[in-house]
Amino acid sequence: MAGPVLAWSEKKDLLLELLGGGSSLAEAFGSSLKALVLAGGPEAASGAEELAKWADEVLLATDGKFSVPDSSVFASAIQDVARSEGADLILIASTRFGREVAARLSAKMKVPCMTGCTSIKVEGGRLLVERTVYAGRAIARQECPSLPCVLAVAPRAFERPATKRNGKVRTVSLEVPEPKLKLLSVKEKELKGPRLEEAEVIVAGGRGVERREDFAMLEELAKLLGGAVGCSRPIAEDRGWFPEWIGLSGRKVKPKLYVAVGISGAIQHVAGIRDSKVIVAINKDEEAPILSVSDYYVVGDLYQIIPALIEVLKRRKGQA
Ligand SMILES: Cc1cc2nc3c(=O)[nH]c(=O)nc-3n(C[C@H](O)[C@H](O)[C@H](O)COP(=O)(O)OP(=O)(O)OC[C@H]3O[C@@H](n4cnc5c(N)ncnc54)[C@H](O)[C@@H]3O)c2cc1C
């Protein structure tokens, strides 16, 4: 029997996913499942009761210093809790901030850290982890050498929990160090439509889409399919048409349907879409790499195909 599985994320939805995966790990270890909430104030603490349904215990620490996103402060707090609870497996959602916290935490605790984990299993007492490597081109299967260890888990690697544990919330008091960072202001990203990670359908455009206004076609198609619009990195970063992109260095998505429009399929892009259920590509180049990772594709000019698709869908919906 190992020590508890301790899950923490700064994002409540991802913490819930960690509890989904953490539940079977706790069972395999014969141990308990605990969630940690580090709240900057009462508002941030408000979801703890709800989380407790899916954990054996929720440990809640509230301190104004957690309002500042200083990874060393969070790492220090998690270390204190991991030590006092005797946690053997520390699961952290692999967001940008989460990865920073995971790295600092493992260095402080002098324990192994594995990032980008897409699957974690216990087999014959061994902790086996799968991680994407080489920009998503390969999956490495690795054994965690010792416990305790810190695992940064990719968003959506685990499903949300299905079995209730009906635990309780326990307030813990921690010696929280002073943040070394000063928070000057917070500006929310302006996002239209559903978040890409949550969208069931995504229509994404790449450099094949020539003008910003041409994205109106993709937006119309996405609307008819009940989905969101995304893009490749050059569209967001170089052309500045969108605040975020899909891929290895951007959002990793897992929709039921991903439509890649005028996207070549560079490995960095494919790394972010490989968990999509069905990939459809529209590209005028029959040699484009995206075609080889697609379930269906159309070789042709997007400026003809997208309007034709919109027309068919509208007709089916009785809108034409
Ligand atoms: C460290 C690093 C990280 C990166 N991370 C990411 C990432 O997270 N996400 C990402 O997307 N990229 C990323 N990139 C960039 C990546 O390598 C590619 O440069 C990028 O994905 C290419 O974008 P694209 O497919 O839109 O453009 P292109 O490669 O230029 O492809 C455009 C495609 O449109 C097609 N096309 C053109 N006109 C039409 C038409 N009229 N009809 C139909 N098809 C048409 C062309 O045939 C072509 O296949 C990264 C690069 C590096 C070095």
Side-chain angles (χ1 to χ4, degrees):
M1 169 150 169
V5 175
L6 180 67
W8 171 83
S9 173
E10 77 282 16
K11 294 191 189 291
K12 276 197 191 129
D13 53 337
L14 296 183
L15 181 50
L16 211 50
E17 287 182 12
L18 294 180
L19 293 180
S23 179
S24 42
L25 290 169
E27 266 152 41
F29 273 135
S31 66
S32 58
L33 175 64
K34 304 192 180 203
L36 174 61
V37 176
L38 301 175
E43 205 179 292
S46 63
E49 290 290 344
E50 174 60 27
L51 279 172
K53 287 184 195 158
W54 310 103
D56 296 316
E57 203 169 30
V58 173
L59 308 169
L60 171 66
T62 309
D63 192 305
K65 291 171 198 148
F66 295 130
S67 322
V68 181
D70 184 328
S71 55
S72 63
V73 170
F74 282 76
S76 159
I78 300 169
Q79 181 187 20
D80 284 355
V81 174
R83 203 186 278 145
S84 60
E85 301 298 317
D88 263 338
L89 211 56
I90 303 154
L91 303 178
I92 293 183
S94 190
T95 59
R96 230 162 262 214
F97 186 62
R99 284 193 295 275
E100 217 179 291
V101 173
R104 283 184 186 277
L105 176 64
S106 72
K108 276 174 185 287
M109 294 178 71
K110 297 191 172 54
V111 299
C113 175
M114 299 169 98
T115 54
C117 307
T118 52
S119 153
I120 307 168
K121 286 189 191 126
V122 180
E123 274 175 25
R126 296 157 71 208
L127 185 63
L128 302 176
V129 174
E130 287 186 359
R131 314 166 57 212
T132 42
V133 290
Y134 302 129
R137 191 172 261 178
I139 293 171
R141 288 200 179 85
Q142 298 172 330
E143 181 178 351
C144 186
S146 60
L147 296 177
C149 76
V150 178
L151 300 175
V153 182
R156 309 200 63 177
F158 294 146
E159 298 295 336
R160 287 176 174 217
T163 318
K164 285 193 178 162
R165 288 177 170 256
N166 293 323
K168 290 215 165 7
V169 179
R170 172 160 54 102
T171 303
V172 290
S173 63
L174 302 172
E175 291 272 323
V176 185
E178 275 305 321
K180 294 190 182 89
L181 298 178
K182 211 177 202 176
L183 187 64
L184 298 181
S185 67
V186 177
K187 195 172 164 215
E188 291 287 333
K189 272 189 186 172
E190 277 178 41
L191 296 177
K192 285 185 191 163
R195 282 181 60 215
L196 288 172
E197 287 94 334
E198 285 157 17
E200 295 207 333
V201 176
I202 295 175
V203 178
R207 272 204 290 227
V209 183
E210 287 164 21
R211 292 168 297 263
R212 172 67 183 94
E213 56 267 31
D214 299 341
F215 263 90
M217 285 191 297
L218 277 65
E219 273 152 21
E220 192 174 359
L221 179 61
K223 203 169 163 197
L224 284 162
L225 294 169
V229 170
C231 66
S232 65
R233 176 161 151 176
I235 297 297
E237 203 177 42
D238 304 342
R239 298 188 186 167
W241 295 348
F242 289 92
E244 57 182 3
W245 62 86
I246 293 164
L248 180 72
S249 57
R251 301 277 162 196
K252 295 204 179 60
V253 297
K254 206 176 169 184
K256 287 187 180 152
L257 173 65
Y258 186 81
V259 187
V261 183
I263 290 178
S264 59
I267 53 165
Q268 295 92 352
H269 187 82
V270 171
I273 65 167
R274 61 168 68 252
D275 290 332
S276 306
K277 224 169 208 154
V278 175
I279 299 176
V280 177
I282 298 168
N283 200 298
K284 68 178 183 187
D285 176 7
E286 62 183 28
E287 302 282 316
I290 190 79
L291 306 189
S292 62
V293 295
S294 303
D295 299 283
Y296 304 94
Y297 59 80
V298 186
V299 176
D301 185 349
L302 70 94
Y303 285 90
Q304 290 173 0
I305 293 157
I306 302 291
L309 269 176
I310 290 173
E311 206 187 305
V312 171
L313 286 168
K314 274 188 168 171
R315 216 179 301 137
R316 282 205 181 167
K317 290 181 172 228
Q319 293 175 11

